[in-house]
Amino acid sequence: MAVALWVSNAVELLALPGALAEAVPLALVPVILEAVRSSKNPDLQSAGYMVLAALAAKATLAPRVVATLLELLPRYAARDEPAAALLALAALCHYQHPASLPSAALDALLRLRTLPAALGAAAAEADVRALAALALTALVRRAVAAPAEGAAALSTLKALLAALPDGAVDVAALAGAITDACGELALSDGPGTAEQDTAVAQLRAILRGLAQRHAAEMDAFIGARLRQARGGGGGARGRCAASDSESGSESSSEEEEEEEEERARTLEFLSHTFAGTAHAPVAEGGTTLLLALEHPEASVRLAAVAAAKSSLESGQCAAPTPLAAALLARARDADAEVALAALGWERLAAHAPPAELHAALEIGRASWRERG
């Protein structure tokens, strides 16, 4: 009875319009923390989850309180039935926007026996996108940085991706975490361990799988990374170097070299990962191969035609039909150089319908006449 009264009064108070008095979170947080820890009193624990979700939606909590709750919620959750705790955790992440998941919080999550299925089920009831992004990116970092725990992290990562609905996965956040983690490993001194090499190979496979399920989102991510790489110093370090150029020109030069190496590693990683696919980066256009073939600038289309022909001729493409079709479209390009480059692919006839190929050849013949 006392628990129900507390929940009713607290939720009613938090539902009132207007700003929340500072004294309210100060009074509620200690009780919530105690309730969350009450694994032997399920009613009190559930009450704590309800009040926490309402408080997280209403007030901005101190970062140390958020960090504490990130760890305590999964630690004291029922290991076989963690749904209620995960919903409270999802609300906390959704409204408080923590930047990362502490290692202790990830450890606690991994102790939940039914984590993938429970989080997948929670996605049908609430917005778990923020929590899923934190968990997935933390698993990526652990897979690469902690070889001894990498296999378990990768296994859980794959299980979560299989259990979560498409809308619950932040493709850009996950792809960025994989790209950054693998890039940092490449920049580190000395070769990676065999476990780390295995992790990188599996993370590449995960990225390719994401591209198949979320093609548009992956193209947008790769395009953003390519534009960032072409920006040359648009990040925080570049801005700091520019503002301090008079007093630290040597330091600025070193930072620019580091940024350039980082950009090169990012492009190399993405190129290797998506080699032979429609998502292969085309640096000239700042986008992916299939989109570059439709780029408004002829020079970018020409570079994309060369890249597509290279991929198709090398046998890297498991399913060349989309690229072959795109090359055929470029054979009818308004720019003569692009059209002739596309028609220069010897195997085009094997993938193009005769009528379309004949029309493209007629356009190509006209282009040759124009060029003399």
Side-chain angles (χ1 to χ4, degrees), residues 330-357:
R330 294 283 62 79
R332 299 189 296 272
D333 199 282
D335 184 273
E337 190 173 3
V338 175
L340 293 172
L343 286 167
W345 184 40
E346 295 178 355
R347 294 169 54 198
L348 186 61
H351 297 277
E356 294 187 23
L357 181 59

Side-chain angles (χ1 to χ4, degrees), residues 247-344:
S247 59
S249 57
E250 183 176 346
S251 174
S252 173
S253 178
E254 292 176 356
E255 289 177 349
E256 289 175 358
E257 289 179 3
E258 290 177 1
E259 288 184 345
E260 181 60 34
E261 186 175 1
E262 182 179 342
R263 289 192 292 271
R265 291 287 186 182
T266 296
L267 180 57
E268 180 183 358
F269 174 77
L270 292 174
S271 297
H272 184 187
T273 299
F274 294 105
T277 76
H279 302 283
V282 177
E284 291 86 345
T287 187
T288 53
L289 181 53
L290 204 58
L291 295 181
L293 286 166
E294 303 290 340
H295 199 277
E297 294 183 16
S299 60
V300 175
R301 297 198 302 277
L302 186 62
V305 166
K309 287 166 61 179
S310 177
S311 292
L312 291 163
E313 289 168 359
S314 67
Q316 290 177 311
C317 288
T321 304
L323 284 183
L327 268 182
L328 178 62
R330 294 283 62 79
R332 299 189 296 272
D333 199 282
D335 184 273
E337 190 173 3
V338 175
L340 293 172
L343 286 167

Side-chain angles (χ1 to χ4, degrees), residues 142-266:
R142 178 164 293 186
V144 173
E149 303 168 334
L154 280 169
S155 177
T156 304
L157 176 62
K158 293 175 184 177
L160 282 172
L161 287 174
L164 288 167
D166 287 346
V169 178
D170 188 332
V171 175
L174 179 55
I178 293 175
T179 302
D180 291 340
C182 294
E184 289 170 6
L185 179 62
L187 287 170
S188 62
D189 295 332
T193 65
E195 291 85 355
Q196 287 174 321
D197 291 343
T198 298
V200 170
Q202 293 192 44
L203 289 171
R204 288 187 193 277
I206 287 172
L207 272 185
R208 289 191 288 268
L210 282 175
Q212 291 179 348
R213 292 173 60 184
H214 309 276
E217 291 91 334
M218 187 58 69
D219 280 336
F221 164 75
I222 295 173
R225 282 302 177 100
L226 290 177
R227 289 189 293 274
Q228 180 182 352
R230 294 172 70 188
R237 283 183 296 174
R239 288 192 298 270
C240 290
S243 63
D244 198 31
S245 58
E246 294 183 2
S247 59
S249 57
E250 183 176 346
S251 174
S252 173
S253 178
E254 292 176 356
E255 289 177 349
E256 289 175 358
E257 289 179 3
E258 290 177 1
E259 288 184 345
E260 181 60 34
E261 186 175 1
E262 182 179 342
R263 289 192 292 271
R265 291 287 186 182
T266 296

